[in-house]
Amino acid sequence: MAKSPSPAGSFEQPLPAHGTSRLRAELVNSVYSQSSFSESLESTAASSVDDLRTHRPLQPGVYVPTVCFFEESTEDLDVDTIAKHAVRLAKVGVAGITTQGSNGEAVHLTHKERKIVTSVTRRALNDTGFTWMPIIVGCGTQSTRETIELCHDAASSGGDYALVLPPSYYKPMIKQDSLMQFFEDVASASPIPILIYNYPGAVSGTDLDSDAIIKLASHPNIVGCKLTCGNTGKLNRIAAATQAVTPSDHGSGFMCMGGSADFTLQMLVGGGSGVICGLGNVVPKACIEIFNLYQSGNFEKAKKLQEVVARGDWAAITGGIVGTKSGLQTYFGYGGVGRKPLPRPTKEEVDHYAEIFREIVNLENTL
């Protein structure tokens, strides 16, 4: 069954509106206010962002960074499958959707295509009764200027939150104070709240420590983090210092999120808020069930399920986006291939991906 919308106003994350926060936002916006940032923020998704100061609240739970689908012969966006996949996930009870993440091949998309993916996802959710479901949009890129532009694009396409990686191309020249300034400038200029995305594997090893994230969390437009670094100690420290949201306590409203399904239970025990996991593209019900078992106090069953999910997540991690799409194609009849230069899997590789996903898909089909 689909999750019900949260009560009005619960887990609300307001944008900065007064005092020094507002002044800083105005100053930073003045720097990035040239024509490329002055496009209309009117939604292309039918009233999904009528009021940019009211956002769909983030709830504790499982979020899925959706795969982007392409027509096999042309590599054009397959908007029908993008829409159907989002609805499939919503119907089984995910707490939210993330577009333009690593699984979404954001680095293979033009700005226009990024906007199309988010707006198609928003429209599909709205049309099937999931108007309450938040969309987090990946907006990280190499310059402060373009990152802010992507945040504006996300807002105008129906996104509710921006997920931002640290820049890394000029890593030797970008010191800690420059990284901190990057996130503060982006947060102050973004029309939607942001979550810090800590994924060292995607950014030349740049790894924000808990002290940095805790400090950045004091910015009123930074409302959470995604820790794909897998460091549960870091997650514990951030969750405690920020009084993060948990399934049983709203806390400060800050969302401290794990970045993969293989430590969902550990994240919950450590005081985290939820998980944004690529494995959810293939087996969303199995990922959600760990959450449900934990909430009901059935820790032994949750532990046993986590063992199976961790093995399934290793299949997704080692296979990457190619393996994830192959698994979707084998077991659910859609998935296709990635954009070049990502390789097309051979028959032997397709068989291999089918085998390593078999256990977790069999479990999924029992739920």
Side-chain angles (χ1 to χ4, degrees), residues 131-213:
T131 56
W132 57 269
M133 182 169 286
I135 296 177
I136 303 168
V137 183
C139 294
T141 188
Q142 296 306 311
S143 72
T144 303
R145 182 184 186 85
E146 187 181 10
T147 302
I148 293 169
E149 181 178 358
L150 289 175
C151 291
H152 280 262
D153 286 350
S156 69
S157 304
D160 301 288
Y161 302 85
L163 183 64
V164 180
L165 282 163
S168 61
Y169 189 85
Y170 295 111
K171 182 182 176 182
M173 288 174 278
I174 299 179
K175 307 305 181 186
Q176 183 74 4
D177 59 344
S178 297
L179 281 178
M180 301 295 281
Q181 192 67 55
F182 167 79
F183 281 106
E184 290 171 359
D185 286 348
V186 171
S188 295
S190 173
I192 51 179
I194 74 168
L195 292 86
I196 297 165
Y197 189 4
N198 193 57
Y199 183 13
V203 288
S204 303
T206 298
D207 190 2
L208 295 168
D209 62 28
S210 53
D211 290 343
I213 295 174

Side-chain angles (χ1 to χ4, degrees), residues 15-23 53:
L15 287 170
H18 60 276
T20 57
S21 298
R22 181 177 181 179
L23 177 60
R53 301 185 64 83

